[in-house]
Amino acid sequence: MPLQSSGAISLDDIHQEVGGSANSNCSINDADIRGLIDASDGANTSFDDWYGASNVTPRGLFLGGSTNVNLDTIDYVTIASAGNATDFGNLSNGRARSQKGDICSATRCLVAGGNGDGGGATNTKFSDNEVDVVEYVEFSSTGNAVDFGNLSANKEYMAGGSNATRGLTFGGYAGSQYINDNYNVIDYFTIASTGNATDFGDTLAAIRQSCGTAGTTRALVFSGTNGGTKDIIQYVTISSTGNCTDFGDCRSDGRNACAASSNTRAVMSAHDAILDDGDAFANNQESEYVTIASTGNAIDFGNLTIARNNRYSTSNKIRALIGGGVSTNTNSVEYLTIASTGNGTDFGDLTVARGDGSAGSSEHGGIA
């Protein structure tokens, strides 16, 4: 795991981070040790330069999803460089449509709940097979997901958010797609250890199809529905337990959006909005943002290149990646530069066109 972000760091700590044995011979000028911070041979360095350094290749993951059937596909990309996704492994049981935010530390990515207990092509979208299963992968290796524990109930369409140690899921839904059977429960997990969810508190109302993201201190939840779409933004302090607090409002009502963040700014993109007839929904390619440490209404950020809902998003603190999407299923991935405002830029493609999944990163905004 990454070296600590404060306090004393020893040469032995650094050596072990690059795979060396404890208490074995090494030098601060060894190539692998210098490589953690991209220091040149013989460069003047301080032990403080290694704060937060990691030998794990930073990765962004796109997990699960659905077309007309639920998919177990996990893809990965290197967020700092553009390019197409590569196969990472698989979720179990064709699980799809889970939380739409980071539930990740710098080493693990969790995917919680979702719709799917039949597996693959036998498990159709909208089959009302919500599950309580939580599973995880390690960023440092490719491979299939492993069991982590269970949610407080069978559910899907949750929002998610995490800092480096604790992951939360917000709200959710179970039952027929035509019945409003929504949850207000917030579950939390300690990411470094496996186990079942612990009760954190409640959202301001029972809600589904919202999206979440986090800074190092706060987790935010955007929009959603409990019969009609909502424009509310709410938040919690991750290190404590308790109910959500009102943060402000999105620029319009919506649901099925996605969100990603730096340590200071959260960006929400691509909700769908009710048309004037009050029934049909229109895809939205707008993005908006808030400053995590303050409260207030969202501000226009720019537009994505294509209008889709049920996309999923993550970040490396600098770039927010937005991938997939439904209505017409797409494999498109684009990115926004979080610190500035502006329109989306093409990044590459997923291995399979799909929406309704989740995304995570080893260096998202909840990690210092």
Side-chain angles (χ1 to χ4, degrees):
M1 60 181 297
L3 292 165
Q4 66 265 36
S5 57
S6 63
I9 296 178
S10 70
L11 180 56
D12 192 54
D13 293 333
I14 301 171
H15 193 211
Q16 290 182 64
E17 180 61 30
V18 297
S21 300
N23 302 314
S24 59
N25 290 331
C26 61
S27 163
I28 198 72
N29 199 48
D30 288 350
D32 54 355
I33 289 175
R34 287 187 288 104
L36 278 179
I37 59 170
D38 295 323
S40 59
D41 186 15
N44 291 324
T45 57
S46 162
F47 279 101
D48 292 356
D49 295 337
W50 276 267
Y51 281 153
S54 173
N55 198 35
V56 177
T57 301
R59 284 175 169 169
L61 301 181
F62 295 92
L63 305 100
S66 62
T67 53
N68 61 329
V69 296
N70 292 335
L71 303 174
D72 59 7
T73 304
I74 307 173
D75 289 346
Y76 75 91
V77 297
T78 301
I79 301 176
S81 58
N84 295 335
T86 302
D87 180 65
F88 185 98
N90 300 101
L91 299 172
S92 61
N93 298 324
R95 190 161 297 108
R97 300 166 62 215
S98 55
Q99 89 290 337
K100 298 182 180 299
D102 293 310
I103 303 186
C104 305
S105 65
T107 57
R108 282 182 172 178
C109 185
L110 276 60
V111 57
N115 182 309
D117 59 3
T122 65
N123 181 21
T124 58
K125 183 177 177 180
F126 302 133
S127 58
D128 302 328
N129 290 320
E130 289 83 13
V131 296
D132 65 357
V133 175
V134 182
E135 49 194 333
Y136 75 96
V137 295
E138 301 279 353
F139 284 108
S140 59
S141 61
T142 56
N144 297 337
V146 177
D147 183 64
F148 185 95
N150 300 98
L151 291 163
S152 59
N154 294 350
K155 50 190 172 180
E156 61 179 319
Y157 277 141
M158 296 162 285
S162 67
N163 61 14
T165 58
R166 182 181 275 191
L168 288 71
T169 66
F170 300 84
Y173 161 85
S176 167
Q177 62 172 313
Y178 302 109
I179 297 174
N180 296 322
D181 190 4
N182 303 314
Y183 290 97
N184 67 348
V185 174
I186 307 171
D187 288 340
Y188 81 90
F189 305 90
T190 301
I191 299 173
S193 59
T194 56
N196 297 336
T198 301
D199 183 63
F200 185 98
D202 297 322
T203 56
L204 293 174
I207 197 165
R208 72 177 188 267
Q209 292 167 287
S210 52
C211 65
T213 191
T216 56
T217 303
R218 288 177 169 180
L220 276 61
V221 182
F222 294 87
S223 64
T225 181
N226 61 1
T229 55
K230 307 297 180 185
D231 65 359
I232 189 171
I233 307 169
Q234 47 193 314
Y235 76 95
V236 297
T237 300
I238 301 172
S239 61
S240 63
T241 56
N243 299 336
C244 277
T245 300
D246 183 67
F247 185 98
D249 295 322
C250 301
R251 298 180 67 239
S252 61
D253 292 353
R255 62 176 190 171
N256 291 326
C258 60
S261 59
S262 65
N263 295 149
T264 58
R265 177 181 280 189
V267 181
M268 184 202 76
S269 302
H271 68 235
D272 56 14
I274 297 176
L275 297 176
D276 291 339
D277 63 12
D279 184 30
F281 282 81
N283 296 326
N284 189 315
Q285 64 194 95
E286 296 177 358
S287 296
E288 50 197 85
Y289 76 95
V290 296
T291 300
I292 298 171
S294 63
T295 57
N297 297 337
I299 299 169
D300 180 55
F301 188 97
N303 293 324
L304 301 179
T305 61
I306 58 173
R308 294 285 187 273
N309 63 39
N310 285 292
R311 305 187 75 175
Y312 30 138
S313 183
T314 190
S315 78
N316 66 348
K317 302 187 190 75
I318 299 170
R319 286 179 167 179
L321 290 192
I322 301 99
V326 299
S327 290
T328 302
N329 293 308
T330 181
N331 65 353
S332 170
V333 182
E334 55 189 292
Y335 73 91
L336 304 168
T337 301
I338 299 173
S340 60
T341 57
N343 297 334
T345 301
D346 181 63
F347 183 93
D349 296 318
L350 300 173
T351 61
V352 180
R354 62 197 192 273
D356 287 319
S358 61
S361 163
S362 58
E363 48 182 2
H364 61 82
I367 299 172

